[in-house]
Amino acid sequence: MAKQGISIPRLRKQITDEDSAYRFLEAMRWPDGPICAHCGHGKAYFLTPKNGVGRGSGKKRNISVRRVWKCAKCRKQFSVLTNTIMHGTKIEIATWIFVLFEMSANKNGLSARELARKYELTDEAAWFMTMRIREAMKREPLAGMLTGEVEVDETYYGGRQRGTGRVGMAAMADKTAIVTLVSRETGEARSQILERVTSESLGKVVREHMAPDAILMTDGHKGYLRVGPEMAEHHRVRHDIGEYAKTTHNGRRAHINAAEGYFGQLKRSIEGTHHFVTTEHLPRYLAEFDYRYSTRKLNDTARMKRLVGQMSGRRLTYRPLTNGE
């Protein structure tokens, strides 16, 4: 799998039923053998019956292809789905694998309507599925600080107020502010929404994500002037005077081209694929685009394997998601 790489035709040949889907997911998530989802122990036993027939008797006994393991330490049962975004799913595991691949490989993303049509799902099930995958794409909570040269820029998502036809400053109340940091050292992107774009809010984002010895690259926005001196260096390019790139006194190349390129891809993809995203769910969409941007130099196999590795502990239930909790 690693040598040839993953593709849709190869997945179709390798995943022919649910049993092969389970085995594929186990090989990708547990390359060195099963790991207990409850205590993290690295030794477990596969439970019988091995033919996939569930316990029970008579004509009504349950037929199951779920591969269940039992931990040698805590003695609890688990599967490759336990405590992941797929926990308790009623959608076929083979479908999950194909969608995981498409969402991690397609730079424009995959809309719920398209997913429902391609895989014969209801709109609600497809939407919930994509939101759970976006939950897995979120940056690890203990991710370290960004070092080296880091580009920071802000943009606004949204458009004219519906029914008013107003654009520009008259419609700013209908827009959502987004700030993104892009590390030139690692290629990682980190995005989040802001209620207001001020020196306080921008400074807070920079301090949370950038190490003090990092080099800050911004445009001419005055909101960065207060936090700039706290960094090792702060270089600005002033778009208001037609300045988009320059060489600094110490030979650094000052620009925010990577951050602006990220925003270009983000807006084209949302408008072309999803058409509209509410502010309530926008952070998960940002996590999706951050993930693909940050892993853009990986091949499809490595990108999907990393995503599968992030599924644990990311359970997301439907009711809190729809209630805005």
Side-chain angles (χ1 to χ4, degrees):
M1 181 174 62
K3 293 181 179 180
Q4 290 185 333
I6 299 176
S7 65
I8 295 294
R10 288 176 184 147
L11 282 176
R12 286 173 179 165
K13 291 179 181 179
Q14 190 167 354
I15 301 174
T16 57
D17 54 21
E18 281 295 270
D19 181 70
S20 59
Y22 268 96
R23 293 176 185 273
F24 178 91
L25 201 58
E26 287 176 353
M28 180 162 281
R29 188 180 175 199
W30 299 328
D32 300 320
I35 299 174
C36 180
H38 304 288
C39 68
H41 190 61
K43 188 175 182 180
Y45 304 95
F46 186 71
L47 293 182
T48 56
K50 296 183 179 181
N51 59 2
V53 180
R55 297 183 182 275
S57 60
K59 296 181 179 179
K60 295 185 178 180
R61 69 178 181 177
N62 297 323
I63 305 299
S64 175
V65 294
R66 190 166 69 100
R67 290 171 53 82
V68 180
W69 299 80
K70 187 173 183 178
C71 179
K73 182 179 180 181
C74 70
R75 311 301 292 176
K76 292 182 179 179
Q77 298 181 14
F78 64 95
S79 76
V80 72
L81 311 182
T82 303
N83 198 30
T84 71
I85 60 172
M86 290 184 257
H87 190 111
T89 184
K90 292 180 174 59
I91 300 173
E92 291 183 350
I93 307 307
T95 300
W96 271 101
I97 292 173
F98 279 95
V99 176
L100 282 167
F101 172 75
E102 289 203 62
M103 285 191 66
S104 62
N106 189 344
K107 69 176 183 179
N108 291 318
L110 185 68
S111 71
R113 289 294 179 88
E114 180 184 357
L115 176 62
R117 185 179 69 253
K118 290 173 65 174
Y119 294 97
E120 298 182 349
L121 303 172
T122 65
D123 290 342
E124 292 79 5
W127 179 79
F128 186 32
M129 191 178 190
T130 59
M131 295 304 283
R132 282 186 282 182
I133 293 175
R134 293 185 182 103
E135 183 72 15
M137 288 178 167
K138 283 185 176 180
R139 183 178 67 255
E140 293 292 341
L142 299 179
M145 306 287 276
L146 299 177
T147 59
E149 298 177 354
V150 181
E151 300 179 23
V152 184
D153 195 19
E154 69 291 331
T155 191
Y156 291 88
Y157 167 73
R160 66 184 64 188
Q161 295 175 334
R162 295 184 178 182
T164 65
R166 294 188 296 174
V167 295
M169 294 303 296
M172 288 299 288
D174 215 29
K175 293 178 179 286
T176 301
I178 301 171
V179 62
T180 294
L181 303 87
V182 178
S183 169
R184 294 184 185 173
E185 186 175 272
T186 64
E188 180 184 356
R190 299 184 182 182
S191 305
Q192 67 184 69
I193 62 174
L194 296 177
E195 291 187 6
R196 296 183 59 196
V197 180
T198 63
S199 59
E200 288 77 14
S201 63
L202 292 174
K204 182 180 178 181
V205 171
V206 170
R207 295 184 191 98
E208 285 179 352
H209 295 282
M210 290 181 59
D213 60 350
I215 299 163
L216 178 62
M217 301 285 185
T218 70
D219 58 13
H221 197 294
K222 294 182 179 180
Y224 297 104
L225 292 178
R226 183 177 298 179
V227 71
E230 299 178 25
M231 301 293 109
E233 298 177 28
H234 178 203
H235 302 290
R236 305 165 68 215
V237 285
R238 294 185 55 188
H239 296 345
D240 57 325
I241 60 173
E243 183 180 68
Y244 294 91
K246 67 180 181 181
T247 302
T248 65
H249 66 280
N250 55 358
R252 300 190 186 279
R253 193 63 178 163
H255 61 77
I256 54 171
N257 293 343
E260 291 176 337
Y262 173 93
F263 287 141
Q265 179 65 55
L266 173 70
K267 292 182 177 181
R268 286 193 302 272
S269 299
I270 289 180
E271 292 173 2
T273 302
H274 305 288
H275 304 304
F276 178 74
V277 175
T278 63
T279 303
E280 174 188 354
H281 297 300
L282 183 58
R284 286 193 177 88
Y285 285 84
L286 293 178
E288 175 188 0
F289 284 92
D290 282 355
Y291 177 81
R292 279 197 298 268
Y293 186 92
S294 300
T295 59
R296 65 193 183 280
K297 293 184 179 180
L298 299 178
N299 59 36
D300 292 339
T301 303
R303 190 183 301 109
M304 183 178 174
K305 187 173 183 180
R306 176 172 165 178
L307 178 57
V308 169
Q310 295 182 185
M311 296 192 308
S312 180
R314 302 289 183 97
R315 289 187 63 185
L316 184 66
T317 55
Y318 190 78
R319 182 172 294 179
L321 185 63
T322 53
N323 289 343
E325 298 178 10

